[in-house]
Amino acid sequence: MERRPTPPSQPAQTHAVPQGPRTATVTVDELGVVSGWSDGARLLLGYPPAEILGQRAARLLADPGRDAWREAAAGPRWSGTAALRHRDGHRLDLDVLVHRRPSGERPGGTEWLVVSPVTGPAAAAAGQALGEWAFQQSPCVSAVFDEGLRLARASVATQRTLSLAEGMIRGLRLTDIVPYEGSAEAESSMRRVLDGAGPQEIRLHLDPADPERTWHAWLMPLTDPEGRVRGVALTAHADASQQLVRRRMLLLSDAGVRIGTGSDVQRTAQELAEVAVPAFADVCAVDLLDAPRH
Protein backbone atom coordinates (compact mmCIF):
# COMPACT_ATOMS: atom_id res chain seq x y z
CA MET A 1 0.00 0.00 0.00
CA GLU A 2 1.39 3.39 -0.96
CA ARG A 3 1.76 5.93 1.84
CA ARG A 4 2.26 9.66 1.72
CA PRO A 5 5.88 10.70 2.46
CA THR A 6 6.85 10.70 6.13
CA PRO A 7 8.12 14.08 7.37
CA PRO A 8 11.83 13.97 8.37
CA SER A 9 10.94 14.84 11.98
CA GLN A 10 8.74 11.75 12.36
CA PRO A 11 9.74 8.06 12.47
CA ALA A 12 9.07 5.99 9.38
CA GLN A 13 5.83 4.04 9.32
CA THR A 14 6.60 0.33 9.70
CA HIS A 15 3.34 -1.59 10.11
CA ALA A 16 1.85 -1.24 6.63
CA VAL A 17 0.82 -4.61 5.22
CA PRO A 18 0.91 -5.08 1.43
CA GLN A 19 -2.58 -5.78 0.12
CA GLY A 20 -3.63 -7.78 -2.91
CA PRO A 21 -5.63 -6.21 -5.72
CA ARG A 22 -8.88 -7.74 -4.39
CA THR A 23 -8.90 -5.62 -1.22
CA ALA A 24 -9.34 -1.85 -1.29
CA THR A 25 -7.35 -0.52 1.68
CA VAL A 26 -7.23 3.12 2.76
CA THR A 27 -5.72 4.73 5.85
CA VAL A 28 -6.99 8.04 7.16
CA ASP A 29 -5.25 10.06 9.86
CA GLU A 30 -6.98 11.71 12.82
CA LEU A 31 -7.38 14.93 10.83
CA GLY A 32 -9.42 13.11 8.19
CA VAL A 33 -6.64 13.16 5.59
CA VAL A 34 -5.90 10.14 3.36
CA SER A 35 -2.47 8.81 4.36
CA GLY A 36 -2.44 5.41 2.60
CA TRP A 37 -3.91 4.14 -0.68
CA SER A 38 -3.71 0.55 -1.96
CA ASP A 39 -3.84 -0.74 -5.52
CA GLY A 40 -7.22 -2.24 -4.68
CA ALA A 41 -8.50 1.24 -3.76
CA ARG A 42 -7.27 2.50 -7.12
CA LEU A 43 -9.10 -0.31 -8.93
CA LEU A 44 -12.28 0.35 -6.97
CA LEU A 45 -12.45 4.16 -7.02
CA GLY A 46 -10.20 5.08 -9.95
CA TYR A 47 -7.85 7.49 -8.15
CA PRO A 48 -4.09 6.95 -8.54
CA PRO A 49 -2.21 7.49 -5.27
CA ALA A 50 -0.73 10.81 -6.44
CA GLU A 51 -4.22 12.35 -6.75
CA ILE A 52 -5.61 11.27 -3.39
CA LEU A 53 -2.77 10.99 -0.84
CA GLY A 54 -2.79 14.04 1.41
CA GLN A 55 -6.36 14.95 0.41
CA ARG A 56 -9.38 15.09 2.73
CA ALA A 57 -11.18 11.72 2.98
CA ALA A 58 -14.51 13.59 2.75
CA ARG A 59 -13.68 14.13 -0.92
CA LEU A 60 -14.51 10.48 -1.51
CA LEU A 61 -18.03 10.71 -0.05
CA ALA A 62 -20.95 10.86 -2.48
CA ASP A 63 -23.15 12.35 0.27
CA PRO A 64 -21.00 14.85 2.20
CA GLY A 65 -24.10 16.01 4.10
CA ARG A 66 -24.17 12.76 6.05
CA ASP A 67 -21.53 12.80 8.77
CA ALA A 68 -20.47 9.25 8.01
CA TRP A 69 -16.89 9.88 9.06
CA ARG A 70 -17.89 10.98 12.57
CA GLU A 71 -20.13 7.92 12.83
CA ALA A 72 -17.30 5.63 11.72
CA ALA A 73 -14.75 7.30 14.01
CA ALA A 74 -16.89 7.08 17.16
CA GLY A 75 -15.73 3.61 18.24
CA PRO A 76 -12.92 1.09 17.75
CA ARG A 77 -14.70 -0.49 14.77
CA TRP A 78 -17.51 0.36 12.41
CA SER A 79 -19.11 -1.50 9.53
CA GLY A 80 -21.83 -0.46 7.12
CA THR A 81 -22.60 0.80 3.66
CA ALA A 82 -20.83 3.95 2.53
CA ALA A 83 -21.86 6.04 -0.49
CA LEU A 84 -18.60 6.88 -2.28
CA ARG A 85 -17.86 8.82 -5.44
CA HIS A 86 -15.75 7.25 -8.19
CA ARG A 87 -13.15 9.36 -9.94
CA ASP A 88 -15.34 9.50 -13.06
CA GLY A 89 -18.25 10.83 -11.00
CA HIS A 90 -20.58 7.85 -10.59
CA ARG A 91 -21.77 6.75 -7.16
CA LEU A 92 -20.72 3.50 -5.49
CA ASP A 93 -22.55 2.07 -2.48
CA LEU A 94 -19.92 -0.13 -0.87
CA ASP A 95 -19.78 -2.30 2.23
CA VAL A 96 -16.82 -1.08 4.28
CA LEU A 97 -15.13 -2.07 7.52
CA VAL A 98 -13.35 0.64 9.52
CA HIS A 99 -10.81 -0.08 12.29
CA ARG A 100 -9.31 2.48 14.64
CA ARG A 101 -5.67 1.73 15.46
CA PRO A 102 -2.48 3.48 16.70
CA SER A 103 -0.92 5.70 14.09
CA GLY A 104 2.29 4.57 12.44
CA GLU A 105 3.21 8.15 11.59
CA ARG A 106 2.69 9.99 14.89
CA PRO A 107 3.49 8.34 18.25
CA GLY A 108 0.41 8.41 20.46
CA GLY A 109 -1.78 9.32 17.51
CA THR A 110 -4.66 7.45 15.89
CA GLU A 111 -5.50 6.48 12.35
CA TRP A 112 -8.35 4.60 10.70
CA LEU A 113 -7.92 1.60 8.46
CA VAL A 114 -10.74 1.34 5.91
CA VAL A 115 -11.12 -1.90 3.91
CA SER A 116 -13.60 -3.05 1.28
CA PRO A 117 -13.51 -6.10 -1.02
CA VAL A 118 -12.97 -5.64 -4.74
CA THR A 119 -15.16 -8.40 -6.10
CA GLY A 120 -16.44 -9.51 -9.48
CA PRO A 121 -18.21 -12.48 -11.10
CA ALA A 122 -15.08 -14.63 -10.94
CA ALA A 123 -14.57 -13.88 -7.23
CA ALA A 124 -18.24 -14.62 -6.50
CA ALA A 125 -18.00 -17.96 -8.31
CA ALA A 126 -14.82 -18.81 -6.41
CA GLY A 127 -16.54 -17.94 -3.15
CA GLN A 128 -19.45 -20.26 -3.95
CA ALA A 129 -17.03 -23.08 -4.73
CA LEU A 130 -15.17 -22.54 -1.46
CA GLY A 131 -18.46 -22.54 0.44
CA GLU A 132 -19.39 -25.85 -1.18
CA TRP A 133 -16.02 -27.37 -0.28
CA ALA A 134 -16.30 -26.06 3.28
CA PHE A 135 -19.65 -27.82 3.71
CA GLN A 136 -18.40 -31.03 2.19
CA GLN A 137 -15.14 -31.17 4.13
CA SER A 138 -16.39 -29.82 7.45
CA PRO A 139 -15.43 -31.97 10.47
CA CYS A 140 -18.97 -31.44 11.80
CA VAL A 141 -21.86 -33.79 11.13
CA SER A 142 -24.02 -31.69 8.77
CA ALA A 143 -26.90 -32.53 6.46
CA VAL A 144 -29.59 -30.76 4.46
CA PHE A 145 -33.16 -32.00 4.04
CA ASP A 146 -35.65 -30.69 1.47
CA GLU A 147 -39.31 -29.80 1.93
CA GLY A 148 -40.23 -33.48 1.74
CA LEU A 149 -37.80 -34.18 4.62
CA ARG A 150 -35.59 -36.16 2.23
CA LEU A 151 -31.82 -35.90 2.40
CA ALA A 152 -30.40 -33.50 -0.18
CA ARG A 153 -26.79 -33.13 1.03
CA ALA A 154 -24.51 -34.76 3.58
CA SER A 155 -21.03 -33.70 4.66
CA VAL A 156 -18.07 -36.07 4.62
CA ALA A 157 -18.22 -36.28 8.42
CA THR A 158 -21.88 -37.31 8.20
CA GLN A 159 -21.09 -40.00 5.64
CA ARG A 160 -18.24 -41.27 7.83
CA THR A 161 -20.44 -41.37 10.93
CA LEU A 162 -23.21 -43.24 9.12
CA SER A 163 -20.74 -45.47 7.21
CA LEU A 164 -22.73 -44.61 4.08
CA ALA A 165 -21.84 -42.61 0.96
CA GLU A 166 -24.05 -39.63 0.12
CA GLY A 167 -25.14 -41.25 -3.14
CA MET A 168 -26.55 -44.20 -1.21
CA ILE A 169 -28.78 -42.13 1.06
CA ARG A 170 -29.68 -39.05 -1.00
CA GLY A 171 -33.47 -38.90 -1.31
CA LEU A 172 -34.11 -40.97 1.83
CA ARG A 173 -35.75 -39.70 4.99
CA LEU A 174 -34.01 -39.69 8.36
CA THR A 175 -36.19 -42.57 9.58
CA ASP A 176 -34.97 -44.61 6.59
CA ILE A 177 -31.30 -43.79 7.16
CA VAL A 178 -31.13 -44.18 10.94
CA PRO A 179 -34.17 -46.16 12.14
CA TYR A 180 -33.14 -45.69 15.76
CA GLU A 181 -34.72 -44.15 18.82
CA GLY A 182 -35.60 -40.51 18.30
CA SER A 183 -35.59 -40.44 14.48
CA ALA A 184 -39.36 -40.12 14.18
CA GLU A 185 -39.39 -37.38 16.81
CA ALA A 186 -36.59 -35.64 14.92
CA GLU A 187 -38.68 -35.67 11.76
CA SER A 188 -41.54 -34.11 13.69
CA SER A 189 -39.17 -31.35 14.78
CA MET A 190 -38.07 -30.90 11.15
CA ARG A 191 -41.70 -30.50 10.15
CA ARG A 192 -42.13 -27.81 12.79
CA VAL A 193 -39.11 -25.98 11.35
CA LEU A 194 -40.68 -26.15 7.87
CA ASP A 195 -43.93 -24.83 9.31
CA GLY A 196 -42.18 -21.73 10.67
CA ALA A 197 -41.49 -22.69 14.28
CA GLY A 198 -37.84 -21.64 13.98
CA PRO A 199 -34.69 -23.52 15.09
CA GLN A 200 -35.08 -26.67 17.15
CA GLU A 201 -32.76 -28.71 19.39
CA ILE A 202 -33.04 -32.51 19.43
CA ARG A 203 -31.12 -35.63 20.39
CA LEU A 204 -30.33 -38.42 17.97
CA HIS A 205 -28.71 -41.84 17.69
CA LEU A 206 -26.72 -41.82 14.46
CA ASP A 207 -23.85 -44.28 14.71
CA PRO A 208 -24.81 -47.87 13.74
CA ALA A 209 -21.59 -49.14 15.33
CA ASP A 210 -22.44 -47.45 18.63
CA PRO A 211 -26.26 -47.35 19.01
CA GLU A 212 -26.00 -46.08 22.60
CA ARG A 213 -24.10 -42.95 21.55
CA THR A 214 -26.22 -39.80 21.80
CA TRP A 215 -25.87 -36.83 19.45
CA HIS A 216 -26.99 -33.30 20.23
CA ALA A 217 -28.42 -31.80 17.03
CA TRP A 218 -29.64 -28.40 15.88
CA LEU A 219 -32.25 -27.95 13.15
CA MET A 220 -32.18 -24.64 11.27
CA PRO A 221 -34.61 -23.37 8.59
CA LEU A 222 -33.18 -22.70 5.12
CA THR A 223 -34.98 -19.82 3.43
CA ASP A 224 -35.01 -18.54 -0.16
CA PRO A 225 -34.56 -14.84 -1.09
CA GLU A 226 -38.31 -14.29 -0.55
CA GLY A 227 -38.09 -15.61 3.01
CA ARG A 228 -39.89 -18.91 2.40
CA VAL A 229 -38.58 -21.95 4.27
CA ARG A 230 -37.38 -24.40 1.62
CA GLY A 231 -35.44 -26.91 3.67
CA VAL A 232 -33.88 -27.85 7.00
CA ALA A 233 -30.18 -27.90 7.90
CA LEU A 234 -29.06 -30.38 10.56
CA THR A 235 -25.83 -30.04 12.52
CA ALA A 236 -24.94 -32.58 15.20
CA HIS A 237 -22.24 -33.07 17.82
CA ALA A 238 -21.64 -36.08 20.03
CA ASP A 239 -23.06 -35.52 23.50
CA ALA A 240 -19.88 -35.15 25.54
CA SER A 241 -21.59 -35.53 28.93
CA GLN A 242 -23.23 -38.80 27.96
CA GLN A 243 -19.98 -40.17 26.58
CA LEU A 244 -18.10 -39.17 29.73
CA VAL A 245 -20.58 -41.06 31.91
CA ARG A 246 -20.30 -44.12 29.66
CA ARG A 247 -16.50 -44.03 29.75
CA ARG A 248 -16.53 -43.81 33.54
CA MET A 249 -18.90 -46.75 33.82
CA LEU A 250 -16.78 -48.82 31.45
CA LEU A 251 -13.64 -47.94 33.40
CA LEU A 252 -15.24 -49.01 36.70
CA SER A 253 -16.49 -52.23 35.13
CA ASP A 254 -13.05 -52.96 33.69
CA ALA A 255 -11.41 -52.27 37.05
CA GLY A 256 -13.79 -54.63 38.86
CA VAL A 257 -12.99 -57.45 36.46
CA ARG A 258 -9.23 -56.97 36.02
CA ILE A 259 -7.89 -55.79 39.40
CA GLY A 260 -7.28 -58.26 42.24
CA THR A 261 -7.45 -61.48 40.23
CA GLY A 262 -4.78 -63.08 42.44
CA SER A 263 -2.94 -62.72 45.76
CA ASP A 264 0.37 -61.59 44.26
CA VAL A 265 1.00 -57.96 45.21
CA GLN A 266 3.19 -57.16 42.22
CA ARG A 267 0.60 -58.62 39.83
CA THR A 268 -2.12 -56.47 41.44
CA ALA A 269 0.04 -53.37 41.01
CA GLN A 270 0.49 -54.23 37.35
CA GLU A 271 -3.28 -54.63 36.94
CA LEU A 272 -3.85 -51.20 38.51
CA ALA A 273 -1.48 -49.63 36.00
CA GLU A 274 -3.00 -51.46 33.02
CA VAL A 275 -6.51 -50.28 33.89
CA ALA A 276 -5.45 -46.68 34.52
CA VAL A 277 -3.38 -46.23 31.34
CA PRO A 278 -4.44 -44.97 28.85
CA ALA A 279 -8.15 -44.91 29.70
CA PHE A 280 -7.70 -42.68 32.76
CA ALA A 281 -4.11 -41.38 32.77
CA ASP A 282 -1.02 -41.13 30.58
CA VAL A 283 1.33 -42.35 33.31
CA CYS A 284 0.71 -44.48 36.41
CA ALA A 285 3.08 -45.23 39.31
CA VAL A 286 2.16 -47.66 42.09
CA ASP A 287 4.14 -47.35 45.37
CA LEU A 288 4.29 -50.53 47.46
CA LEU A 289 4.83 -50.43 51.22
CA ASP A 290 7.15 -52.92 52.88
CA ALA A 291 5.32 -56.09 53.88
CA PRO A 292 4.51 -56.17 57.62
CA ARG A 293 6.63 -58.57 59.69
CA HIS A 294 3.64 -59.96 61.58
Side-chain angles (χ1 to χ4, degrees), residues 35-251:
S35 57
W37 192 259
S38 73
D39 188 54
R42 179 189 61 80
L43 291 173
L44 194 62
L45 295 174
Y47 291 95
E51 291 186 12
I52 199 66
L53 289 174
Q55 301 294 315
R56 302 284 298 180
R59 173 181 174 183
L60 300 171
L61 298 176
D63 184 12
R66 180 191 173 196
D67 200 353
W69 183 247
R70 183 179 298 276
E71 182 181 345
R77 190 180 71 177
W78 180 85
S79 62
T81 302
L84 303 178
R85 186 71 64 190
H86 192 274
R87 184 171 182 264
D88 64 14
H90 76 273
R91 172 181 170 134
L92 290 172
D93 291 310
L94 300 176
D95 292 326
V96 298
L97 179 60
V98 181
H99 301 278
R100 184 171 62 184
R101 66 183 188 181
S103 173
E105 296 184 352
R106 192 175 69 82
T110 298
E111 70 177 9
W112 284 266
L113 173 68
V114 185
V115 293
S116 182
V118 183
T119 58
Q128 291 178 353
L130 288 173
E132 174 65 19
W133 298 338
F135 172 82
Q136 278 294 333
Q137 300 171 33
S138 169
C140 300
V141 172
S142 305
V144 176
F145 293 84
D146 63 18
E147 292 178 277
L149 298 184
R150 299 187 178 277
L151 182 76
R153 302 299 307 274
S155 68
V156 171
T158 303
Q159 299 172 57
R160 188 182 301 116
T161 299
L162 297 174
S163 300
L164 292 169
E166 183 184 72
M168 295 291 297
I169 55 179
R170 189 183 298 117
L172 296 178
R173 296 173 60 163
L174 185 64
T175 50
D176 301 322
I177 302 169
V178 283
Y180 310 134
E181 180 184 353
S183 293
E185 183 178 347
E187 282 202 345
S188 298
S189 296
M190 287 186 185
R191 179 60 62 187
R192 287 194 292 272
V193 173
L194 289 174
D195 291 340
Q200 305 283 314
E201 288 188 46
I202 60 173
R203 294 189 181 276
L204 285 172
H205 298 278
L206 296 175
D207 192 345
D210 191 0
E212 298 299 320
R213 189 180 190 184
T214 303
W215 294 74
H216 191 182
W218 289 264
L219 303 175
M220 300 291 296
L222 297 176
T223 58
D224 61 17
E226 286 72 38
R228 295 174 297 182
V229 180
R230 305 301 295 271
V232 179
L234 179 150
T235 303
H237 299 275
D239 193 321
S241 60
Q242 291 278 345
Q243 287 187 289
L244 181 60
V245 170
R246 290 187 58 218
R247 285 199 297 267
R248 287 176 175 173
M249 294 300 294
L250 289 173
L251 181 62

